[in-house]
Amino acid sequence: MPAAPPDKNNTPRGGAPGDGAADAGRLRGRALIVPTLLLLLGGISYGGIFSANKLAAGVSFPVFAYTFWIALFAGLALLIVGAVSGNLPPVSRAHLLQYLRLALLAVMLPVLATAFAARELPAGVITLVLTLVPGLTYLMSFAMRLERFEALSLAGLALGAGGVLLIVLPEQSLPEAGAWVWMLVALVAAVAAAGSNVVAAAYRPPQTRSLALACGILLAAAVVMLPVMLAADGPFLFADAGWHGIAGMAWAAAIHCVTFYCFQEVTRRAGAVFFAQFNYLVVAAGIFWALIIFDETLGLWVWAALACMVVGLWLVNTGARRRSLGASPS
């Protein structure tokens, strides 16, 4: 008996409708295995940056020097790996511009802001600020016409902002009455990180490997931070910070090596929308690291803020998935 001809939807008779979509979904699921593992690795690693900053702040490691040494050690470590693997950073004009843009947005501003804030705020509270990154990323992308309007994302952004207010306004949520100023400083890190997501997606040079990009970004940050450190802190050697300061700096440098590679590779493989889930992991890991290392306890208002931010983050990511699937906006 001859085989039945396919129907008008190119589905063989006897096959289940939608098999093509199911197959596409399974293929996409398999394609996301590596990005998911990298996302877990990067998120758990970066959650420790706030505790590393706290270690350095405890011994008064100068902030500008701290940022310079982190970028230099992380960049040199990746440069060695790149040299061994034949994967050195390209130095074209487009690459240099991207290195500088992301050095400012993804390294210098976040590290400086969180390092200054770590002197006055618990590490767990600073960690919560990162839940705002996906919402801010969506807002910036929408402003640049890279994303279309989605009510769920807007609602998520509003909930995240409400979470910040729950930390800033009640007197019981922060350690001192004037600590809200340092909360605003910490917010600079969230705004910069959101900007780095947009820049990484919009201006990535084609045919460039993630290791090379991560290395170039970190070395560019070190080059820019060197004169800043010399002007603000003088020729401060990392060894002068003592063992606790060295430990905090080395830990932060290792975190940047891992996280920046994961950031570039996940964005390349799965896009910025998928990478936005990184912030779920960072918040959970950051609170865990702070609890283990500093035995920090968070007040009721902070836990309420965390609930608002997590729900807001879920809404932002749900809206992003709807946009990626081409669903009609709410």
Side-chain angles (χ1 to χ4, degrees), residues 23 31 47-48 52 63 81 97 102 109 135 143 170 178 215 245 250 267 272 283 299 303 320:
D23 290 342
V63 173
V81 175
L97 285 175
L102 289 177
L109 286 177
C215 178
T267 302
V283 171
W303 284 112

Side-chain angles (χ1 to χ4, degrees), residues 79-269:
L79 186 64
I80 292 171
V81 175
V84 171
S85 62
N87 190 15
L88 294 174
V91 290
S92 70
R93 183 175 181 273
H95 285 89
L96 292 176
L97 285 175
Q98 184 72 338
Y99 299 154
L100 290 172
R101 283 189 289 254
L102 289 177
L104 175 65
L105 293 172
V107 183
M108 295 163 60
L109 286 177
V111 173
L112 288 171
T114 55
F116 275 119
R119 297 169 180 262
E120 305 293 336
L121 295 175
V125 170
I126 300 173
T127 303
L128 296 182
V129 171
L130 281 190
T131 59
L132 296 177
V133 173
L136 291 171
T137 301
Y138 164 70
L139 197 62
M140 291 179 185
S141 298
F142 179 71
M144 293 178 64
R145 298 183 179 180
L146 299 175
E147 294 281 357
R148 62 187 177 86
F149 175 76
E150 174 58 63
L152 284 179
S153 294
L154 189 61
L157 182 60
L159 267 177
V164 173
L165 292 178
L166 283 177
I167 297 175
V168 171
L169 296 181
E171 295 180 357
Q172 299 89 346
S173 60
L174 292 175
E176 297 179 6
W180 64 269
V181 175
W182 295 105
M183 189 66 184
L184 295 181
V185 172
L187 285 174
V188 172
V191 175
S196 73
N197 288 344
V198 176
V199 167
Y203 300 106
R204 177 176 179 132
Q207 306 300 320
T208 307
R209 294 185 178 180
S210 298
L211 178 64
L213 278 172
C215 178
I217 292 164
L218 290 165
L219 289 178
V223 170
V224 175
M225 283 304 303
L226 178 59
V228 177
M229 176 192 74
L230 293 176
D233 302 324
F236 187 89
L237 298 177
F238 67 90
D240 294 338
W243 287 111
H244 281 88
I246 294 173
M249 183 274 297
W251 186 12
I255 287 170
H256 277 72
C257 285
V258 173
T259 304
F260 270 70
Y261 171 75
C262 292
F263 168 39
Q264 295 297 322
E265 188 65 8
V266 172
T267 302
R268 182 185 72 84
R269 288 173 175 263

